[in-house]
Amino acid sequence: GRHSHDRLRPLLGSSKDSPRTTKPPFLIKPHLRPDQYAVRTDRIIQAVVFIEDAIHYRSINHRVDSRSLRLYRWYYSRICQNPFRCYFVKKPSSLTITSDLRYKKPPMEPPCGLTESIEIMCLLIFAVDLTVKSYLIGWEEFRKNKWLIGYVVVTGASVIDWTLSVSMLCTETLRIRRIFRPFFLLQNSSLMKKTLKCIKRTLPEIASVILLITLHLFLFSMFGMLIFARGEDARENGEWASYFRNLRQSITSLLVLLTTANNPDVMIPAYSLNRGYSIFFILFTVFGTYLLMNLLTAIIYNQFRGYLLMSIQASILRRQLGIRAAFEVMCCRAMGRTHTDEHLCFMFVLMFLQHPPMPVYNSCFLQRVQSVFTHYSVTVIGNLVALLNIFCICTILVLDSKISISKRDSYYIGTINCIFITYYLLEMVLKIFSFGLKGYLSYRNNIFDGLLTITLLFLQISIFAMHRVPSDNSSPGPGMMSLFEMVRLLNLLIVFRFLRIIPEIKVMRTAAVVVYYVFAILGIWAPAVLTTRCGTYEQLGYWPNNFDDFAAALVLLHNIMVVNNWQVFMEAFTEYTSE
């Protein structure tokens, strides 16, 4: 305000000293020695650079001597920054009229060294850019900057790969530097850096939901393999033959259903036999598509919105620092003053749920047992054991996927389940002993776990009572469930029990060009082998959608992103490459 202007007046000079001049007052140099005038000029240049940093939200951590500041202003000028905007040099493989593989002519092949010459010029420009930027910020700041370190690594790797290409006279089949090119676009764009940083901050929150979606997909795939198992009547095996023949096909079918791309086709064979089968697909869609996928979208939106606010606050702070630095240079240094800012600290109080007190035992051995089974590691081990049980069931399902129900041997899976149920029962009893009955029931996951364990135990006892020893030769009595049906019900409950891990999953609160480029390059790199298949891809005439050249790859990725019929492209890509 007015006081700051009065304090700046001795440094900047007054217009009263030379009323006839048209120069700004801070360029007037009466009563100043040459060294004083040089110091004042340096301060003015420093202040100008700090103001420019504030305008463009740049960091003020850089060299401030006069020569470095002139280089700094030249470096961040529009003329110098434009050459760093793009670096995507490759052979013009897309210069053909059509992308249809049946009618496409061989692409134009430029002479060796043409695109390589343009590429090395770009790499040299990037090397100069890296050198200047590293000099301006200094070694200490360079060591803290991961982007600049990555800049060095990527530039060096690109030069090495370019050297190998030239030495092999452009006959190499794989150019690693292609996958590095988006990095140059990213590191020269503050917006892209902020986007990647936001994605990095969002990943831990997204990972929990993605884990839930994966668990949802896997468990329903196993449910589907158990419900739609191969039967004796071939007319009732339509669902099994088309969508649940094995684990890979089951997961693929439900993954496509998660995007609603094959709805209602996937349920028609089973729905035509019994309308009750529709409940399976409706539950999968409601929980997966309408709950978990929307939850994932909400978390991503919430994280990006929160990060946007933080980014705006950081930008405002950088602008304030730049303005304050300019003020310190022009005023406070001249007056021989320094200022320090106060820092505020905030305390957060965490609230924990209270559970009933644990029972007290006098025996040292019992106290040791109690301390062991109240530790969190017991829960982790229990989850791993449940996962191992699921893996055993999954293995048996994969091995028996092509065997009819009457020919399946239930002895091994019955024995394995008996061992795991014994462990579950022992775990429940020891937890009740350690926490006490009220303490055990005060945890919701223990209630869920205990009820299912008791149900599994009752079902296992029923299997022993009805069928004696689990064997494929045992036959049920009149009005009794068959051994396969009881074991299948037991497996369904065991898979359902695995949901005990959900409380342990803590659900916490774009660079499209780069993503497209990377996936296009990966698709082009994938080795394809032509076959004589005649599938949906060929019947629909999707031949122009391919990874044969870069432009066609971008169009194909767009068609996949639209979601409609994306499973057709996936099946064709799997067939022509590998699973």
Side-chain angles (χ1 to χ4, degrees), residues 187-245:
Q187 78 90 26
N188 279 293
S189 171
S190 59
L191 180 60
M192 302 288 273
K193 290 180 180 178
K194 290 179 181 178
T195 303
L196 285 181
K197 188 177 292 185
C198 182
I199 293 173
K200 178 183 176 182
R201 290 169 56 91
T202 309
L203 282 178
E205 288 76 14
I206 295 178
S208 57
V209 182
I210 292 179
L211 182 58
L212 283 176
I213 294 175
T214 305
L215 179 63
H216 170 77
L217 181 64
F218 182 73
L219 293 184
F220 268 85
S221 299
M222 296 189 65
F223 285 146
M225 294 183 67
L226 289 168
I227 295 173
F228 306 113
R230 182 181 180 182
E232 297 298 328
D233 191 351
R235 294 174 298 178
E236 298 181 356
N237 291 335
E239 191 72 33
W240 170 83
S242 301
Y243 302 104
F244 293 94
R245 184 183 294 270

Short mmCIF file of all heavy atoms in Angstrom, two decimals, residues 187-245:
data_model
loop_
_atom_site.label_atom_id
_atom_site.label_comp_id
_atom_site.label_asym_id
_atom_site.label_seq_id
_atom_site.Cartn_x
_atom_site.Cartn_y
_atom_site.Cartn_z
N GLN A 187 7.16 -34.16 -19.95
CA GLN A 187 8.03 -33.39 -19.06
C GLN A 187 8.10 -31.92 -19.44
O GLN A 187 8.53 -31.10 -18.64
CB GLN A 187 9.43 -34.02 -19.02
CG GLN A 187 10.30 -33.75 -20.21
CD GLN A 187 11.13 -32.50 -20.00
OE1 GLN A 187 11.41 -32.11 -18.88
NE2 GLN A 187 11.49 -31.86 -21.10
N ASN A 188 7.64 -31.56 -20.63
CA ASN A 188 7.62 -30.15 -21.03
C ASN A 188 6.24 -29.54 -20.88
O ASN A 188 6.00 -28.44 -21.38
CB ASN A 188 8.07 -30.01 -22.49
CG ASN A 188 9.58 -30.02 -22.63
OD1 ASN A 188 10.26 -29.10 -22.17
ND2 ASN A 188 10.11 -31.06 -23.23
N SER A 189 5.34 -30.23 -20.21
CA SER A 189 3.98 -29.71 -20.00
C SER A 189 3.65 -29.79 -18.52
O SER A 189 3.57 -30.87 -17.95
CB SER A 189 2.97 -30.51 -20.83
OG SER A 189 1.66 -30.15 -20.49
N SER A 190 3.47 -28.64 -17.90
CA SER A 190 3.12 -28.64 -16.48
C SER A 190 1.75 -29.25 -16.25
O SER A 190 1.51 -29.91 -15.22
CB SER A 190 3.15 -27.20 -15.95
OG SER A 190 2.23 -26.39 -16.66
N LEU A 191 0.83 -29.07 -17.21
CA LEU A 191 -0.50 -29.66 -17.06
C LEU A 191 -0.43 -31.18 -17.06
O LEU A 191 -1.11 -31.85 -16.27
CB LEU A 191 -1.41 -29.17 -18.19
CG LEU A 191 -2.85 -29.70 -18.18
CD1 LEU A 191 -3.56 -29.29 -16.90
CD2 LEU A 191 -3.61 -29.19 -19.39
N MET A 192 0.40 -31.75 -17.95
CA MET A 192 0.54 -33.20 -18.00
C MET A 192 1.19 -33.72 -16.72
O MET A 192 0.82 -34.79 -16.21
CB MET A 192 1.37 -33.59 -19.22
CG MET A 192 0.81 -33.14 -20.53
SD MET A 192 -0.64 -34.05 -21.00
CE MET A 192 0.08 -35.43 -21.83
N LYS A 193 2.17 -32.98 -16.20
CA LYS A 193 2.80 -33.41 -14.95
C LYS A 193 1.79 -33.42 -13.81
O LYS A 193 1.77 -34.35 -12.98
CB LYS A 193 3.95 -32.47 -14.61
CG LYS A 193 5.16 -32.60 -15.53
CD LYS A 193 6.24 -31.62 -15.11
CE LYS A 193 7.46 -31.72 -16.01
NZ LYS A 193 8.51 -30.75 -15.65
N LYS A 194 0.95 -32.39 -13.76
CA LYS A 194 -0.07 -32.34 -12.71
C LYS A 194 -1.06 -33.50 -12.86
O LYS A 194 -1.49 -34.09 -11.87
CB LYS A 194 -0.81 -31.01 -12.77
CG LYS A 194 0.03 -29.82 -12.34
CD LYS A 194 -0.76 -28.53 -12.44
CE LYS A 194 0.11 -27.33 -12.02
NZ LYS A 194 -0.63 -26.06 -12.15
N THR A 195 -1.40 -33.83 -14.11
CA THR A 195 -2.32 -34.94 -14.34
C THR A 195 -1.71 -36.25 -13.85
O THR A 195 -2.37 -37.06 -13.19
CB THR A 195 -2.67 -35.03 -15.83
OG1 THR A 195 -3.23 -33.79 -16.26
CG2 THR A 195 -3.66 -36.15 -16.09
N LEU A 196 -0.44 -36.49 -14.20
CA LEU A 196 0.22 -37.72 -13.76
C LEU A 196 0.37 -37.77 -12.24
O LEU A 196 0.21 -38.82 -11.62
CB LEU A 196 1.59 -37.83 -14.42
CG LEU A 196 1.60 -38.22 -15.90
CD1 LEU A 196 3.02 -38.31 -16.40
CD2 LEU A 196 0.89 -39.54 -16.12
N LYS A 197 0.67 -36.62 -11.65
CA LYS A 197 0.79 -36.59 -10.20
C LYS A 197 -0.55 -36.89 -9.54
O LYS A 197 -0.62 -37.59 -8.52
CB LYS A 197 1.31 -35.23 -9.74
CG LYS A 197 1.66 -35.17 -8.26
CD LYS A 197 2.23 -33.81 -7.89
CE LYS A 197 3.60 -33.60 -8.52
NZ LYS A 197 4.22 -32.33 -8.07
N CYS A 198 -1.62 -36.38 -10.13
CA CYS A 198 -2.95 -36.67 -9.61
C CYS A 198 -3.28 -38.16 -9.74
O CYS A 198 -3.84 -38.76 -8.83
CB CYS A 198 -3.98 -35.83 -10.33
SG CYS A 198 -5.66 -36.05 -9.72
N ILE A 199 -2.91 -38.74 -10.90
CA ILE A 199 -3.14 -40.18 -11.09
C ILE A 199 -2.35 -40.98 -10.06
O ILE A 199 -2.84 -41.96 -9.49
CB ILE A 199 -2.76 -40.59 -12.52
CG1 ILE A 199 -3.72 -39.94 -13.52
CG2 ILE A 199 -2.77 -42.10 -12.68
CD1 ILE A 199 -3.34 -40.16 -14.96
N LYS A 200 -1.11 -40.55 -9.81
CA LYS A 200 -0.29 -41.24 -8.82
C LYS A 200 -0.90 -41.17 -7.43
O LYS A 200 -0.92 -42.15 -6.68
CB LYS A 200 1.11 -40.63 -8.81
CG LYS A 200 2.05 -41.24 -7.78
CD LYS A 200 3.39 -40.53 -7.78
CE LYS A 200 4.30 -41.07 -6.68
NZ LYS A 200 5.60 -40.35 -6.64
N ARG A 201 -1.43 -39.99 -7.08
CA ARG A 201 -2.06 -39.84 -5.76
C ARG A 201 -3.38 -40.61 -5.67
O ARG A 201 -3.80 -41.02 -4.59
CB ARG A 201 -2.33 -38.35 -5.48
CG ARG A 201 -1.08 -37.53 -5.24
CD ARG A 201 -1.43 -36.06 -5.23
NE ARG A 201 -2.46 -35.76 -4.24
CZ ARG A 201 -2.23 -35.40 -2.99
NH1 ARG A 201 -0.97 -35.30 -2.58
NH2 ARG A 201 -3.20 -35.14 -2.16
N THR A 202 -4.02 -40.81 -6.83
CA THR A 202 -5.32 -41.48 -6.84
C THR A 202 -5.19 -42.99 -6.82
O THR A 202 -6.11 -43.70 -6.39
CB THR A 202 -6.12 -41.03 -8.09
OG1 THR A 202 -6.12 -39.60 -8.15
CG2 THR A 202 -7.55 -41.51 -8.03
N LEU A 203 -4.05 -43.52 -7.29
CA LEU A 203 -3.90 -44.98 -7.43
C LEU A 203 -4.16 -45.75 -6.15
O LEU A 203 -4.85 -46.78 -6.18
CB LEU A 203 -2.51 -45.30 -7.98
CG LEU A 203 -2.32 -45.10 -9.48
CD1 LEU A 203 -0.89 -45.41 -9.89
CD2 LEU A 203 -3.29 -45.98 -10.27
N PRO A 204 -3.63 -45.33 -4.98
CA PRO A 204 -3.93 -46.11 -3.77
C PRO A 204 -5.43 -46.19 -3.47
O PRO A 204 -5.92 -47.23 -3.02
CB PRO A 204 -3.18 -45.35 -2.66
CG PRO A 204 -2.10 -44.63 -3.38
CD PRO A 204 -2.67 -44.25 -4.71
N GLU A 205 -6.15 -45.09 -3.71
CA GLU A 205 -7.59 -45.10 -3.47
C GLU A 205 -8.32 -45.95 -4.50
O GLU A 205 -9.28 -46.66 -4.18
CB GLU A 205 -8.14 -43.66 -3.49
CG GLU A 205 -7.75 -42.82 -2.28
CD GLU A 205 -6.32 -42.34 -2.35
OE1 GLU A 205 -5.73 -42.43 -3.44
OE2 GLU A 205 -5.79 -41.87 -1.32
N ILE A 206 -7.86 -45.87 -5.76
CA ILE A 206 -8.50 -46.65 -6.81
C ILE A 206 -8.19 -48.13 -6.65
O ILE A 206 -9.03 -49.00 -6.97
CB ILE A 206 -8.03 -46.15 -8.20
CG1 ILE A 206 -8.51 -44.72 -8.43
CG2 ILE A 206 -8.54 -47.04 -9.31
CD1 ILE A 206 -8.04 -44.14 -9.75
N ALA A 207 -6.99 -48.45 -6.16
CA ALA A 207 -6.55 -49.85 -6.09
C ALA A 207 -7.51 -50.69 -5.26
O ALA A 207 -7.78 -51.85 -5.59
CB ALA A 207 -5.13 -49.92 -5.52
N SER A 208 -8.03 -50.12 -4.17
CA SER A 208 -8.94 -50.89 -3.32
C SER A 208 -10.23 -51.23 -4.06
O SER A 208 -10.74 -52.35 -3.96
CB SER A 208 -9.25 -50.11 -2.04
OG SER A 208 -9.80 -48.84 -2.36
N VAL A 209 -10.76 -50.26 -4.83
CA VAL A 209 -11.99 -50.53 -5.58
C VAL A 209 -11.71 -51.50 -6.72
O VAL A 209 -12.52 -52.39 -7.01
CB VAL A 209 -12.58 -49.21 -6.12
CG1 VAL A 209 -13.89 -49.47 -6.86
CG2 VAL A 209 -12.82 -48.24 -4.98
N ILE A 210 -10.57 -51.35 -7.39
CA ILE A 210 -10.22 -52.28 -8.46
C ILE A 210 -10.07 -53.70 -7.90
O ILE A 210 -10.47 -54.68 -8.53
CB ILE A 210 -8.92 -51.83 -9.16
CG1 ILE A 210 -9.17 -50.53 -9.92
CG2 ILE A 210 -8.40 -52.90 -10.10
CD1 ILE A 210 -7.95 -49.98 -10.62
N LEU A 211 -9.52 -53.81 -6.69
CA LEU A 211 -9.42 -55.12 -6.05
C LEU A 211 -10.80 -55.69 -5.77
O LEU A 211 -11.03 -56.90 -5.96
CB LEU A 211 -8.61 -55.00 -4.75
CG LEU A 211 -8.38 -56.29 -3.97
CD1 LEU A 211 -7.66 -57.32 -4.83
CD2 LEU A 211 -7.59 -56.02 -2.70
N LEU A 212 -11.72 -54.84 -5.34
CA LEU A 212 -13.09 -55.30 -5.12
C LEU A 212 -13.74 -55.76 -6.43
O LEU A 212 -14.44 -56.77 -6.46
CB LEU A 212 -13.92 -54.19 -4.49
CG LEU A 212 -13.70 -53.92 -3.00
CD1 LEU A 212 -14.52 -52.73 -2.56
CD2 LEU A 212 -14.07 -55.14 -2.17
N ILE A 213 -13.52 -54.99 -7.50
CA ILE A 213 -14.08 -55.37 -8.81
C ILE A 213 -13.48 -56.70 -9.28
O ILE A 213 -14.19 -57.58 -9.79
CB ILE A 213 -13.83 -54.25 -9.83
CG1 ILE A 213 -14.62 -52.99 -9.45
CG2 ILE A 213 -14.24 -54.70 -11.24
CD1 ILE A 213 -14.33 -51.80 -10.33
N THR A 214 -12.15 -56.85 -9.10
CA THR A 214 -11.51 -58.11 -9.47
C THR A 214 -12.05 -59.27 -8.66
O THR A 214 -12.33 -60.36 -9.19
CB THR A 214 -9.99 -57.98 -9.27
OG1 THR A 214 -9.49 -56.86 -10.00
CG2 THR A 214 -9.27 -59.24 -9.74
N LEU A 215 -12.21 -59.06 -7.36
CA LEU A 215 -12.77 -60.10 -6.49
C LEU A 215 -14.19 -60.43 -6.91
O LEU A 215 -14.58 -61.61 -6.98
CB LEU A 215 -12.73 -59.62 -5.04
CG LEU A 215 -13.30 -60.57 -3.98
CD1 LEU A 215 -12.48 -61.85 -3.93
CD2 LEU A 215 -13.31 -59.89 -2.62
N HIS A 216 -14.98 -59.41 -7.20
CA HIS A 216 -16.36 -59.60 -7.65
C HIS A 216 -16.39 -60.42 -8.95
O HIS A 216 -17.18 -61.37 -9.07
CB HIS A 216 -16.99 -58.22 -7.86
CG HIS A 216 -18.32 -58.24 -8.55
ND1 HIS A 216 -19.48 -58.60 -7.92
CD2 HIS A 216 -18.66 -57.94 -9.83
CE1 HIS A 216 -20.49 -58.53 -8.77
NE2 HIS A 216 -20.03 -58.13 -9.94
N LEU A 217 -15.52 -60.06 -9.88
CA LEU A 217 -15.47 -60.77 -11.16
C LEU A 217 -15.04 -62.23 -10.97
O LEU A 217 -15.63 -63.16 -11.55
CB LEU A 217 -14.52 -60.04 -12.10
CG LEU A 217 -14.34 -60.59 -13.51
CD1 LEU A 217 -15.64 -60.51 -14.28
CD2 LEU A 217 -13.25 -59.81 -14.24
N PHE A 218 -14.02 -62.44 -10.15
CA PHE A 218 -13.49 -63.79 -9.95
C PHE A 218 -14.48 -64.69 -9.22
O PHE A 218 -14.70 -65.85 -9.60
CB PHE A 218 -12.17 -63.71 -9.18
CG PHE A 218 -11.51 -65.04 -8.95
CD1 PHE A 218 -10.89 -65.72 -9.98
CD2 PHE A 218 -11.52 -65.62 -7.69
CE1 PHE A 218 -10.28 -66.94 -9.77
CE2 PHE A 218 -10.91 -66.84 -7.46
CZ PHE A 218 -10.30 -67.51 -8.51
N LEU A 219 -15.09 -64.16 -8.17
CA LEU A 219 -16.03 -64.97 -7.39
C LEU A 219 -17.25 -65.35 -8.21
O LEU A 219 -17.72 -66.49 -8.17
CB LEU A 219 -16.44 -64.23 -6.12
CG LEU A 219 -15.34 -63.99 -5.08
CD1 LEU A 219 -15.91 -63.33 -3.84
CD2 LEU A 219 -14.66 -65.30 -4.71
N PHE A 220 -17.79 -64.39 -8.97
CA PHE A 220 -18.95 -64.71 -9.80
C PHE A 220 -18.57 -65.66 -10.93
O PHE A 220 -19.42 -66.44 -11.40
CB PHE A 220 -19.58 -63.44 -10.35
CG PHE A 220 -20.68 -62.89 -9.48
CD1 PHE A 220 -20.37 -62.05 -8.41
CD2 PHE A 220 -21.99 -63.22 -9.71
CE1 PHE A 220 -21.38 -61.54 -7.60
CE2 PHE A 220 -23.00 -62.73 -8.91
CZ PHE A 220 -22.70 -61.88 -7.84
N SER A 221 -17.31 -65.60 -11.40
CA SER A 221 -16.88 -66.57 -12.41
C SER A 221 -16.89 -67.98 -11.83
O SER A 221 -17.32 -68.94 -12.49
CB SER A 221 -15.48 -66.22 -12.91
OG SER A 221 -15.47 -64.95 -13.53
N MET A 222 -16.43 -68.10 -10.59
CA MET A 222 -16.46 -69.42 -9.94
C MET A 222 -17.89 -69.86 -9.65
O MET A 222 -18.25 -71.03 -9.83
CB MET A 222 -15.64 -69.38 -8.66
CG MET A 222 -14.16 -69.11 -8.90
SD MET A 222 -13.18 -69.32 -7.42
CE MET A 222 -13.38 -71.07 -7.14
N PHE A 223 -18.74 -68.91 -9.22
CA PHE A 223 -20.15 -69.23 -9.04
C PHE A 223 -20.76 -69.74 -10.35
O PHE A 223 -21.52 -70.71 -10.38
CB PHE A 223 -20.93 -68.00 -8.55
CG PHE A 223 -20.70 -67.67 -7.11
CD1 PHE A 223 -20.70 -66.36 -6.67
CD2 PHE A 223 -20.50 -68.67 -6.18
CE1 PHE A 223 -20.50 -66.04 -5.35
CE2 PHE A 223 -20.30 -68.38 -4.84
CZ PHE A 223 -20.29 -67.05 -4.43
N GLY A 224 -20.43 -69.05 -11.45
CA GLY A 224 -20.96 -69.44 -12.75
C GLY A 224 -20.50 -70.83 -13.16
O GLY A 224 -21.29 -71.63 -13.70
N MET A 225 -19.22 -71.15 -12.91
CA MET A 225 -18.73 -72.48 -13.24
C MET A 225 -19.38 -73.56 -12.39
O MET A 225 -19.59 -74.70 -12.84
CB MET A 225 -17.21 -72.53 -13.09
CG MET A 225 -16.45 -71.66 -14.08
SD MET A 225 -14.66 -71.81 -13.91
CE MET A 225 -14.42 -73.52 -14.42
N LEU A 226 -19.73 -73.21 -11.15
CA LEU A 226 -20.41 -74.18 -10.28
C LEU A 226 -21.88 -74.33 -10.66
O LEU A 226 -22.43 -75.45 -10.65
CB LEU A 226 -20.29 -73.74 -8.82
CG LEU A 226 -18.89 -73.85 -8.20
CD1 LEU A 226 -18.84 -73.12 -6.88
CD2 LEU A 226 -18.51 -75.32 -8.02
N ILE A 227 -22.54 -73.24 -10.99
CA ILE A 227 -23.98 -73.29 -11.29
C ILE A 227 -24.22 -73.87 -12.68
O ILE A 227 -25.11 -74.71 -12.88
CB ILE A 227 -24.59 -71.88 -11.17
CG1 ILE A 227 -24.52 -71.39 -9.73
CG2 ILE A 227 -26.04 -71.87 -11.66
CD1 ILE A 227 -24.94 -69.95 -9.55
N PHE A 228 -23.41 -73.43 -13.65
CA PHE A 228 -23.62 -73.87 -15.03
C PHE A 228 -22.61 -74.95 -15.42
O PHE A 228 -21.96 -74.88 -16.46
CB PHE A 228 -23.51 -72.68 -15.99
CG PHE A 228 -24.41 -71.54 -15.63
CD1 PHE A 228 -23.88 -70.33 -15.20
CD2 PHE A 228 -25.78 -71.68 -15.70
CE1 PHE A 228 -24.71 -69.28 -14.86
CE2 PHE A 228 -26.62 -70.63 -15.36
CZ PHE A 228 -26.09 -69.42 -14.93
N ALA A 229 -22.47 -75.93 -14.56
CA ALA A 229 -21.56 -77.04 -14.84
C ALA A 229 -22.13 -77.92 -15.97
O ALA A 229 -23.33 -77.92 -16.24
CB ALA A 229 -21.33 -77.88 -13.59
N ARG A 230 -21.24 -78.65 -16.60
CA ARG A 230 -21.66 -79.51 -17.71
C ARG A 230 -22.51 -80.66 -17.19
O ARG A 230 -22.13 -81.38 -16.28
CB ARG A 230 -20.42 -80.05 -18.42
CG ARG A 230 -20.75 -80.93 -19.63
CD ARG A 230 -19.47 -81.44 -20.27
NE ARG A 230 -19.77 -82.28 -21.42
CZ ARG A 230 -18.84 -82.89 -22.15
NH1 ARG A 230 -17.56 -82.73 -21.85
NH2 ARG A 230 -19.18 -83.63 -23.18
N GLY A 231 -23.69 -80.82 -17.78
CA GLY A 231 -24.59 -81.90 -17.39
C GLY A 231 -24.63 -83.01 -18.41
O GLY A 231 -23.90 -83.01 -19.41
N GLU A 232 -25.49 -83.98 -18.15
CA GLU A 232 -25.60 -85.14 -19.04
C GLU A 232 -26.38 -84.81 -20.31
O GLU A 232 -26.09 -85.34 -21.38
CB GLU A 232 -26.28 -86.30 -18.29
CG GLU A 232 -25.51 -86.80 -17.09
CD GLU A 232 -24.15 -87.35 -17.46
OE1 GLU A 232 -24.01 -87.91 -18.57
OE2 GLU A 232 -23.21 -87.20 -16.67
N ASP A 233 -27.37 -83.93 -20.19
CA ASP A 233 -28.21 -83.56 -21.32
C ASP A 233 -27.52 -82.46 -22.12
O ASP A 233 -27.31 -81.35 -21.60
CB ASP A 233 -29.58 -83.10 -20.84
CG ASP A 233 -30.57 -82.96 -21.99
OD1 ASP A 233 -30.13 -83.07 -23.16
OD2 ASP A 233 -31.77 -82.75 -21.72
N ALA A 234 -27.15 -82.73 -23.35
CA ALA A 234 -26.44 -81.74 -24.17
C ALA A 234 -27.29 -80.53 -24.46
O ALA A 234 -26.77 -79.42 -24.68
CB ALA A 234 -25.99 -82.39 -25.49
N ARG A 235 -28.63 -80.69 -24.44
CA ARG A 235 -29.50 -79.55 -24.73
C ARG A 235 -29.50 -78.53 -23.60
O ARG A 235 -29.89 -77.37 -23.82
CB ARG A 235 -30.93 -80.05 -24.97
CG ARG A 235 -31.09 -80.91 -26.22
CD ARG A 235 -32.49 -81.48 -26.31
NE ARG A 235 -32.77 -82.36 -25.15
CZ ARG A 235 -33.95 -82.97 -24.95
NH1 ARG A 235 -34.93 -82.80 -25.83
NH2 ARG A 235 -34.12 -83.75 -23.91
N GLU A 236 -29.10 -78.91 -22.42
CA GLU A 236 -29.06 -78.00 -21.28
C GLU A 236 -27.66 -77.46 -21.01
O GLU A 236 -27.44 -76.83 -19.98
CB GLU A 236 -29.59 -78.73 -20.04
CG GLU A 236 -31.04 -79.18 -20.16
CD GLU A 236 -31.52 -79.87 -18.91
OE1 GLU A 236 -30.69 -80.04 -17.98
OE2 GLU A 236 -32.71 -80.24 -18.85
N ASN A 237 -26.73 -77.73 -21.90
CA ASN A 237 -25.34 -77.27 -21.71
C ASN A 237 -25.01 -76.05 -22.55
O ASN A 237 -23.84 -75.77 -22.79
CB ASN A 237 -24.37 -78.41 -22.07
CG ASN A 237 -24.43 -79.54 -21.07
OD1 ASN A 237 -24.81 -79.34 -19.91
ND2 ASN A 237 -24.08 -80.74 -21.50
N GLY A 238 -26.03 -75.34 -23.01
CA GLY A 238 -25.77 -74.18 -23.86
C GLY A 238 -24.97 -73.09 -23.16
O GLY A 238 -24.03 -72.51 -23.71
N GLU A 239 -25.33 -72.80 -21.90
CA GLU A 239 -24.62 -71.77 -21.14
C GLU A 239 -23.18 -72.19 -20.87
O GLU A 239 -22.25 -71.39 -20.97
CB GLU A 239 -25.36 -71.51 -19.82
CG GLU A 239 -24.87 -70.28 -19.07
CD GLU A 239 -25.29 -68.99 -19.74
OE1 GLU A 239 -26.37 -68.94 -20.34
OE2 GLU A 239 -24.51 -68.02 -19.65
N TRP A 240 -23.00 -73.45 -20.52
CA TRP A 240 -21.65 -73.96 -20.27
C TRP A 240 -20.80 -73.92 -21.53
O TRP A 240 -19.64 -73.48 -21.50
CB TRP A 240 -21.74 -75.39 -19.75
CG TRP A 240 -20.42 -76.09 -19.69
CD1 TRP A 240 -19.50 -76.02 -18.69
CD2 TRP A 240 -19.87 -76.97 -20.69
NE1 TRP A 240 -18.40 -76.78 -18.99
CE2 TRP A 240 -18.59 -77.38 -20.21
CE3 TRP A 240 -20.31 -77.44 -21.91
CZ2 TRP A 240 -17.78 -78.24 -20.95
CZ3 TRP A 240 -19.51 -78.30 -22.64
CH2 TRP A 240 -18.25 -78.69 -22.16
N ALA A 241 -21.37 -74.35 -22.65
CA ALA A 241 -20.59 -74.43 -23.89
C ALA A 241 -20.23 -73.05 -24.43
O ALA A 241 -19.15 -72.87 -24.99
CB ALA A 241 -21.38 -75.21 -24.95
N SER A 242 -21.09 -72.06 -24.24
CA SER A 242 -20.87 -70.75 -24.85
C SER A 242 -20.09 -69.80 -23.97
O SER A 242 -19.30 -68.98 -24.47
CB SER A 242 -22.22 -70.11 -25.21
OG SER A 242 -22.95 -70.93 -26.12
N TYR A 243 -20.27 -69.89 -22.64
CA TYR A 243 -19.72 -68.84 -21.78
C TYR A 243 -18.96 -69.33 -20.56
O TYR A 243 -18.17 -68.57 -19.98
CB TYR A 243 -20.85 -67.91 -21.30
CG TYR A 243 -21.61 -67.27 -22.43
CD1 TYR A 243 -22.88 -67.71 -22.79
CD2 TYR A 243 -21.06 -66.22 -23.16
CE1 TYR A 243 -23.58 -67.12 -23.82
CE2 TYR A 243 -21.75 -65.62 -24.19
CZ TYR A 243 -23.01 -66.08 -24.53
OH TYR A 243 -23.70 -65.50 -25.56
N PHE A 244 -19.16 -70.56 -20.11
CA PHE A 244 -18.54 -71.01 -18.85
C PHE A 244 -17.84 -72.35 -19.03
O PHE A 244 -17.85 -73.19 -18.12
CB PHE A 244 -19.61 -71.11 -17.74
CG PHE A 244 -20.19 -69.79 -17.34
CD1 PHE A 244 -21.36 -69.32 -17.91
CD2 PHE A 244 -19.55 -69.00 -16.40
CE1 PHE A 244 -21.89 -68.10 -17.56
CE2 PHE A 244 -20.06 -67.78 -16.03
CZ PHE A 244 -21.25 -67.32 -16.61
N ARG A 245 -17.20 -72.55 -20.15
CA ARG A 245 -16.53 -73.81 -20.41
C ARG A 245 -15.30 -74.00 -19.53
O ARG A 245 -14.99 -75.09 -19.08
CB ARG A 245 -16.13 -73.89 -21.89
CG ARG A 245 -15.50 -75.20 -22.30
CD ARG A 245 -15.09 -75.15 -23.76
NE ARG A 245 -16.25 -75.05 -24.62
CZ ARG A 245 -16.89 -76.09 -25.12
NH1 ARG A 245 -16.49 -77.32 -24.84
NH2 ARG A 245 -17.94 -75.93 -25.89
#
